[in-house]
Amino acid sequence: MTRTPRTGPGRGWLLRLVIAFAFAQGAVSMARPAVSYRALALGADEAAVGVIAGVYALLPLFVAVPLGRRTDHGRCAPLLPLGVLLISGGCALSGIASSLPAMAAWSGVMGLGHLCFVIGAQSIVARQSAPAEQDRNFGHFTIGASLGQLIGPVAAGALISGQGGTLGRTSALALLVSAAVAAVALASLWRIEHRRAKGSGAGPGHKVPVRAILGARGVPAGIFISMAVLSATDILTAYLPVVGEHRSIAPATVGLLLSLRAAATIACRLVMSPLLRLLGRRALLTTSCLLAGILCAGVALPVSVPVLAVMLAVLGFCLGVGQPLSMTTVVRAAPDRARSTALALRLTGNRLGQVAAPAAAGLIAGAVGVAAPFALLGVFLIGAAGLGLRGEGCPAPAPAPQNPAPAPPAPHRSIAEGRAARTGRTGPGQALDGPEA
């Protein structure tokens, strides 16, 4: 099968995608704490705040797989502006909402927008990255998320606490500002997706069953690793302040410790390519999860603040590996016609982890103590390291042709072989070499 040569401005599309993701993720990271403060100002108790926060993660669960199906059989780029508009609208409408049910609804809209953007963006990276570039490109892509997660909460805190007014007014202001921040992402969403070559992609009527996707060796491991890493990040963010309160660590110091963790994650993704060349992806994934598990359990120990800072820096560096490499693991293991759906299933696992992990951590902390969730996370990440050690398996084979034909005559075969020799691409493994994978 002939391949259309890749066209487009080098990796400029990836840079624009990273910039757009940084603004979109920054808006969400700014809005989520602001939503909680806004709900409290409207009279919500702790349970109501938990429900509103949960709707953000729960609502997208019902549309993740259909969105992945749609992306497998069409273009990815339209999901990006749609996601930005939903994020911006959800933030703005949360800022002017006057009731808790409305807050929950607009929180769900925000989560749906984030899901649309991430599915579209990850699918574009998968399609437009050659196999040798996937780890690097996914690593660079996730830098956008890390930047947003680093800056967003800090900006929200400054807006909410720096106005001197009531909590309701300042939290509403933070939500309106986050809506504007999300809208800025639209400026970078041009020429992101290359034109699809004729005859490429899945047939419009063919759907790979979800059971077949999950049965592909490597897909469950990638989903579990991603869920473990994200759960560790979420619980660390939520419970480090509780640890600080028990150890008399000032809130400002806790904030700096969390920022140090996020900065280390960004540093890891900047040097992902040299690390892969030095260690190999299996060794890097296994080592990072194993070390992260040990350090996560170590956070529960009564160590001094300087030692805790070193531990969190190394932990943040290790946690930076899991997300991009789990994306590559899922993309390589999934059937050719269901890669976007497989990425959507990975995001579904992430959302389930975001709902279940904090709830489980709260129950364990209430029953055993605040150190227990970190020990549980350590076990969780060590289990992920075991899955990484097993490897991702072989890429799922491409579906067989509908009407297999005998080998073509010798002259035609020599032309095909000459083209393969010039490009270095042969067999079904080339599915992701061009922008139409």
Side-chain angles (χ1 to χ4, degrees):
M1 181 179 69
T2 61
R3 301 289 298 179
T4 299
R6 181 178 300 180
T7 60
R11 286 201 293 151
W13 63 270
L14 182 59
L15 176 60
R16 293 191 294 275
L17 191 59
V18 170
I19 293 171
F21 195 20
F23 280 103
Q25 183 66 55
V28 170
S29 298
M30 185 188 306
R32 293 201 69 191
V35 164
S36 297
Y37 284 117
R38 175 76 174 161
L40 291 171
L42 293 175
D45 57 12
E46 290 80 358
V49 171
V51 169
I52 292 172
V55 171
Y56 171 89
L58 282 174
L59 184 59
L61 291 177
F62 300 101
V63 297
V65 172
L67 278 176
R69 296 278 195 205
R70 180 245 174 240
T71 307
D72 276 321
H73 300 286
R75 297 179 62 225
C76 310
L79 284 178
L80 303 183
L82 174 62
V84 169
L85 292 174
L86 288 173
I87 292 171
S88 185
C91 292
L93 292 168
S94 295
I96 62 176
S98 57
S99 68
L100 295 179
M103 289 289 298
W106 299 130
S107 177
V109 169
M110 192 194 314
L112 180 60
H114 187 262
L115 181 78
C116 289
F117 188 96
V118 172
I119 288 179
Q122 288 182 5
S123 298
I124 288 174
V125 176
R127 286 181 181 178
Q128 299 185 175
S129 302
E133 300 172 343
Q134 287 173 359
D135 288 323
R136 180 197 64 193
N137 287 355
F138 274 123
H140 290 171
F141 166 70
T142 53
I143 289 174
S146 298
L147 286 171
Q149 291 166 355
L150 177 65
I151 298 171
V154 176
L159 287 169
I160 293 171
S161 62
Q163 295 296 316
T166 64
L167 185 62
R169 181 169 64 84
T170 55
S171 59
L173 174 62
L175 286 165
L176 294 174
V177 171
S178 66
V181 170
V184 175
L186 293 172
S188 295
L189 298 179
W190 51 276
R191 295 184 67 188
I192 293 287
E193 185 176 22
H194 300 155
R195 291 184 178 274
R196 294 178 64 81
K198 292 182 179 180
S200 65
H206 180 79
K207 291 183 179 180
V208 180
V210 170
R211 182 179 300 178
I213 299 171
L214 293 175
R217 182 182 175 187
V219 171
I223 292 174
F224 184 85
I225 291 168
S226 177
M227 188 188 305
V229 171
L230 185 64
S231 297
T233 303
D234 278 2
I235 291 179
L236 188 67
T237 303
Y239 278 87
L240 192 62
V242 182
V243 172
E245 186 69 19
H246 278 75
R247 300 182 191 174
S248 300
I249 302 174
T253 304
V254 172
L256 287 174
L257 291 172
L258 290 173
S259 295
L260 179 63
R261 195 280 310 162
T265 297
I266 295 174
C268 168
R269 289 165 181 172
L270 287 172
V271 297
M272 183 75 72
S273 294
L275 287 174
L276 286 167
R277 287 194 297 269
L278 179 65
L279 298 175
R281 70 186 323 275
R282 181 184 299 186
L284 179 59
L285 187 57
T286 301
T287 303
S288 64
C289 287
L290 180 61
L291 188 55
I294 295 171
L295 289 169
C296 236
V299 172
L301 300 176
V303 296
S304 65
V305 171
V307 173
L308 185 59
V310 173
M311 291 172 61
L312 288 173
V314 179
L315 176 58
F317 193 91
C318 293
L319 291 176
V321 173
Q323 292 288 18
L325 292 194
S326 70
M327 293 178 198
T328 310
T329 298
V330 169
V331 165
R332 291 183 176 180
D336 289 344
R337 295 184 173 184
R339 285 176 174 144
S340 294
T341 306
L343 287 169
L345 288 170
R346 174 185 167 278
L347 290 172
T348 300
N350 286 353
R351 290 290 194 265
L352 286 173
Q354 284 182 302
V355 173
L363 290 174
I364 294 172
V368 182
V370 72
F374 295 99
L376 179 64
L377 279 177
V379 174
F380 205 32
L381 286 164
I382 291 172
L387 289 176
L389 186 62
R390 291 180 57 191
E392 62 191 40
C394 299
Q402 295 294 330
N403 297 306
H412 296 284
R413 293 194 62 178
S414 62
I415 293 172
E417 290 171 354
R419 182 180 295 110
R422 289 193 302 272
T423 61
R425 299 174 186 173
T426 58
Q430 68 174 330
L432 283 178
D433 284 353
E436 316 312 331

